[in-house]
């Protein structure tokens, strides 16, 4: 079988395949120049079924704070062009759920999540602060401030 190579003039010329550098040995064949060493045979390994490991579902607070951080980052980008974007509305709903979860005394979130969510909310707060005259931005700022104070309380309790 031959391949066809194209030159810059557009003409075609056949190209022979390169010769193999090494010959492939069959299982159990003698290696060249080593008459006493045999190529290893493939050992039959019994198939061991892997156990199914069930991961515990993350705490509701962890899920809420992950979602909060994600939505805050997206809302920050959306706030540059459109304060009525759905990400800001979704974030408001998540902020309300965080408030309810903290008030009800659910299991506290894992240590880095309040910090990550707070950092994302601070970035969004800075962006919205520049657009404070818009009623939607002002309402979001109030909600963000309330949740930031809750997150500060969670971080202080974890330390």
């Amino acid at each position: 079988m031959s391949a066809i190579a194209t030159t810059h003039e557009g003409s075609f010329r056949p190209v022979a395949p390169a010769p193999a550098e090494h010959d492939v040995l069959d299982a159990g064949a003698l290696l060249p120049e080593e008459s006493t060493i045999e190529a290893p045979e493939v050992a039959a390994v019994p198939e061991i079924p892997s156990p199914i490991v069930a991961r515990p579902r993350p705490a509701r607070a962890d899920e809420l704070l992950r979602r909060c951080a994600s939505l805050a980052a997206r809302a920050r980008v959306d706030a540059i062009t459109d304060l009525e974007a759905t990400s800001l509305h979704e974030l408001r709903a998540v902020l309300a759920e965080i408030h309810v979860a903290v008030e009800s005394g659910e299991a506290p979130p894992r240590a880095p999540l309040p910090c990550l969510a707070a950092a994302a909310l601070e970035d969004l707060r800075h962006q919205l602060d520049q657009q404070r005259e818009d009623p939607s931005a002002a309402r979001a700022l109030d909600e963000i401030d309330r949740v930031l104070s809750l997150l500060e309380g969670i971080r202080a309790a974890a330390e």
Side-chain angles (χ1 to χ4, degrees), residues 144-156:
I144 289 170
D145 286 340
R146 249 191 357 248
V147 171
L148 283 173
S149 65
L150 285 174
L151 294 177
E152 184 59 39
I154 292 171
R155 285 190 297 191

Side-chain angles (χ1 to χ4, degrees), residues 24-139:
V24 179
L25 297 175
D26 294 331
L30 293 177
L31 295 172
E33 301 176 9
E34 296 289 334
S35 59
T36 58
I37 301 175
E38 290 188 15
E41 294 182 15
V42 178
V45 178
E47 204 171 302
I48 301 171
S50 61
I52 296 175
V53 178
R55 289 191 324 188
R57 184 171 177 87
R60 181 169 178 254
D62 289 352
E63 288 178 352
L64 286 173
L65 289 178
R66 283 188 186 117
R67 182 99 173 112
C68 174
S70 172
L71 282 170
R74 195 169 84 194
R76 181 177 182 269
V77 172
D78 289 345
I80 294 170
T81 58
D82 180 18
L83 280 174
E84 295 303 320
T86 59
S87 58
L88 196 55
H89 296 294
E90 290 177 47
L91 179 62
R92 284 188 192 122
V94 170
L95 294 177
E97 286 184 58
I98 290 172
H99 190 70
V100 168
V102 170
E103 294 285 320
S104 68
E106 289 184 18
R110 291 185 303 137
L113 292 175
C115 294
L116 293 173
L121 287 171
E122 285 288 343
D123 286 345
L124 175 61
R125 188 185 190 302
H126 177 72
Q127 178 66 37
L128 292 176
D129 201 33
Q130 297 172 3
Q131 302 166 336
R132 185 177 284 278
E133 66 279 351
D134 188 294
S136 181
R139 188 172 56 244

